[in-house]
Amino acid sequence: MSRTEQNGAGRRRPPTIHDVAREAGVSRGTVSRVLNGGHNVSPAALEAVQSAIRRTGYTVNRHARSLITGRSDSVAFLLTEPQERFFEDPNFNVLLRGCTAALAAHDIPLLLMIAGTEAERRRNMRYIAGHVDGVLLVSSHSGDPVAAQLHEAGVPLVACGKPLGQGSRVSYVAADDRNGARDMVRFLHGSGRRRIATVTGPLDTPGGVDRLAGYRETLTECGLPVDEALIVPGDYSRAGGEAAAALLLERAPDVDAVFVASDLMAQGVLSTLERAGRRVPQDVAVGGFDDSPAALSARPELTTVRQPWDRISAEMVRVLLAQIGGEDPAAVILPTELVRRDSA
Amino acid sequence: MSRTEQNGAGRRRPPTIHDVAREAGVSRGTVSRVLNGGHNVSPAALEAVQSAIRRTGYTVNRHARSLITGRSDSVAFLLTEPQERFFEDPNFNVLLRGCTAALAAHDIPLLLMIAGTEAERRRNMRYIAGHVDGVLLVSSHSGDPVAAQLHEAGVPLVACGKPLGQGSRVSYVAADDRNGARDMVRFLHGSGRRRIATVTGPLDTPGGVDRLAGYRETLTECGLPVDEALIVPGDYSRAGGEAAAALLLERAPDVDAVFVASDLMAQGVLSTLERAGRRVPQDVAVGGFDDSPAALSARPELTTVRQPWDRISAEMVRVLLAQIGGEDPAAVILPTELVRRDSA
DNA sequence: AAAGGCGCTGTGAGCGTTCACAGTAGAGAA
DNA sequence: TTCTCTACTGTGAACGCTCACAGCGCCTTT
């Protein structure tokens, strides 16, 4: 009966550190020490407290703890992309999942915040300052002032992808876009292609810039001329890929390979090429970038450059936690990998 | 100089309710009343406090508030699907975005928790009890005990999709799967198809069961026999769709339409059909379900049944907040809509 | 034998709020 | 005038935790 009243549907107030202390026959202080690493606690007391915790089903009240420590033991995942891209891009799923899991291993919950509109951005900024220990930032457009604002406010911060524009020392983790692009172009060249075009990403994103740079360099390196007619701007979207391919076919009908800066755009390119009667890969080879699920759902399946999203998320969390712990900002660049399938 | 020290990079401790009270020339109590609705506060005091808040840049310390109120003013989005589905299914993005936005409007942050493994599940359960005001649950498999556990623990809870199996009164929001399926089958029949097959979802999910039920009913209603050879089980994955279609062609080569219980599976069906030399929609009409981005990236573009994800997320949040506010659990079923494209 | 150090323990204070209560002043009713 | 009621205001006491400090034995050293 009293048991039922304590644990049953009655929703009794949860046990506190006092209850545990009484149950274990020690003081609050000792329980607290056990909770925070167990230093300077005798083996007997340690055992007594741990057993009492188990018996009472005690869980630390994080609000009370945060109130005094000033830490919140939580982290925000902040997305400042316009929402469309979030929907379309399957990479975010992987990234989000990875970050959640990596944080969970440290018992740190992830707060998801999306700042599409200006109002949302303001709200999130207000929330973050003082309510969150650090921020995992996903925002590639250089016009985005969020990174600078957070950095200035002294909030520990790790960006996914190199924050373009500002020279300020903010941490980031990124795939090696430039070398990934080089691998792909080198591969296309190696398979005999000579009129290699590219559909770029937005040129106000580091990915867009670096992949294009890799493309240019490799062409020169291979002794091919860099023909500006073969360089078509894209926006990472499927529709953008379709339009870019149409423009490309018009400007350079003799194209025999396209390096597309994202898989989603590559899908669009494939679709335009098909409608134009070009066979892939026989007439035109198509190389993507990301190795997202879109690469597998494309027909033919995409030869692409794999971004190591699992490692990226793990590194982002590692760097962020280190920074929260007082270490200096850091930049991490992770290698990509060429994945051969059917489109090139 | 003193200003700089207070607001600059020095990271002074943030203003508290005391600072605001002093600045406004009132007491803590009055400031608190302003913060919580402003009842029983004179216009003069209200104005003074609001101005003081603006001048000091005060933000309420949610930890302190939570400590005394017992509320956390946060909500968990709990995903107990095995991770693969989360990655593949573009619907989750829309749902997640919708929930985040709807909660943000109430200034409530969303904690993302993923419980793929048993360890993760235990950790999350421990966290949820006492740290979160309510849970938005995404988990369709009936074997999942999480819903029951949470409900028993008295945690306000809204499931996405009807929790199968347990009769317990837990809130949920779902699309009208049965009627959606009926609309599609009726449409296929109306366009002259007579050998209408179906690839089902997993039959331990409510969506799988109800869509199949709608299929069966409508066939009978249209005076068509229900041929068990035309009913092939699927698993909501693209690969599952490919396999199901292969099996179907073997069992019933004369099939002239397929109602597929998800767009992703429909992509797989399309791909198998193409390889088998069947033209879509001329030889075989294909209808999907979800109207996810996958429907648009399919070739031909999928005729499908649109699930109102934006409304689903909004309703989930509404029902959850109502329940946190003390109202009774509720079930909400939202209508679907047939979207005509090229595959049927 | 006294002094010093070390390992362990308990205690008080305080983190920033909200809530219940008590108190004040002014308006209206008797 | 006096009383009551209402609208507003201020004050102490929590909420559950961590942290700094002081105290107490006990072992080692001089």
Side-chain angles (χ1 to χ4, degrees), chain A residues 11 60 62-64 66-67 83 86-87 93 97 104 109-112 114 123 127 131 153 238 297 299, chain B residues 11 60 62-63 66-67 83 86-87 93 96-97 104 109-112 114 123 127 131 153 238 297 299:
Chain A
R11 293 290 261 155
V60 48
R62 296 170 93 115
H63 300 305
S66 294
L67 183 55
Q83 59 190 75
F86 178 60
F87 290 161
N93 283 355
R97 155 82 196 181
L110 176 149
L111 303 187
L112 178 63
I114 302 180
R123 202 205 325 271
Y127 188 92
H131 296 299
R238 189 192 157 99
S297 74
R299 285 298 168 275
Chain B
R11 294 286 261 156
V60 50
R62 297 171 90 114
H63 301 304
S66 294
L67 182 55
Q83 59 190 77
F86 178 59
F87 289 159
N93 283 355
L96 189 52
R97 156 82 196 180
L110 176 149
L111 303 186
L112 179 62
I114 302 181
R123 201 203 329 267
Y127 188 91
H131 296 299
R238 189 192 158 98
S297 74
R299 284 300 168 274

Side-chain angles (χ1 to χ4, degrees), chain B residues 146-215:
Chain B
V146 169
Q149 277 179 40
L150 288 172
H151 184 246
E152 197 167 341
V155 180
L157 172 69
V158 176
C160 175
K162 181 171 170 183
L164 227 157
Q166 56 223 349
S168 55
R169 301 252 305 119
V170 12
S171 292
Y172 67 90
V173 176
D176 193 340
D177 292 296
R178 186 188 219 104
N179 273 315
R182 299 178 66 126
D183 287 345
M184 177 60 81
V185 175
R186 219 176 280 132
F187 169 75
L188 293 171
H189 179 261
S191 61
R193 313 287 171 167
R194 289 300 175 267
R195 288 288 283 167
I196 305 175
T198 188
V199 177
T200 74
L203 294 181
D204 58 348
T205 70
V209 171
D210 289 350
R211 289 168 207 175
L212 177 56
Y215 163 84

Side-chain angles (χ1 to χ4, degrees), chain A residues 221-241:
Chain A
E221 193 180 293
C222 294
L224 256 35
V226 176
D227 181 351
E228 296 297 325
L230 292 177
I231 300 179
V232 189
D235 60 358
Y236 283 145
S237 80
R238 189 192 157 99

Side-chain angles (χ1 to χ4, degrees), chain B residues 19-60:
Chain B
D19 301 324
V20 175
R22 187 164 11 84
E23 187 81 11
V26 299
S27 73
R28 277 164 25 231
T30 302
V31 177
S32 178
R33 274 183 287 268
V34 171
L35 256 27
N36 295 283
H39 302 299
N40 288 351
V41 175
S42 68
L46 184 75
E47 168 56 33
V49 169
Q50 284 174 337
S51 146
I53 288 177
R54 248 175 284 124
R55 266 174 294 154
T56 53
Y58 169 80
T59 323
V60 50

Side-chain angles (χ1 to χ4, degrees), chain A residues 250-263:
Chain A
E250 193 183 319
R251 295 212 294 216
D254 61 333
V255 61
D256 64 0
V258 193
F259 162 51
V260 190
S262 84
D263 287 347

Side-chain angles (χ1 to χ4, degrees), chain B residues 6 8 30 34 40 65 79 84 91 111 116 159 183 216 257 279 302 315-316 335 344:
Chain B
Q6 276 180 25
T30 302
V34 171
N40 288 351
R65 172 183 282 175
L79 189 76
E84 309 83 47
N91 293 319
L111 303 186
D183 287 345
R216 290 194 131 105
R279 290 168 308 160
L302 277 176
E315 283 297 298
M316 284 180 72

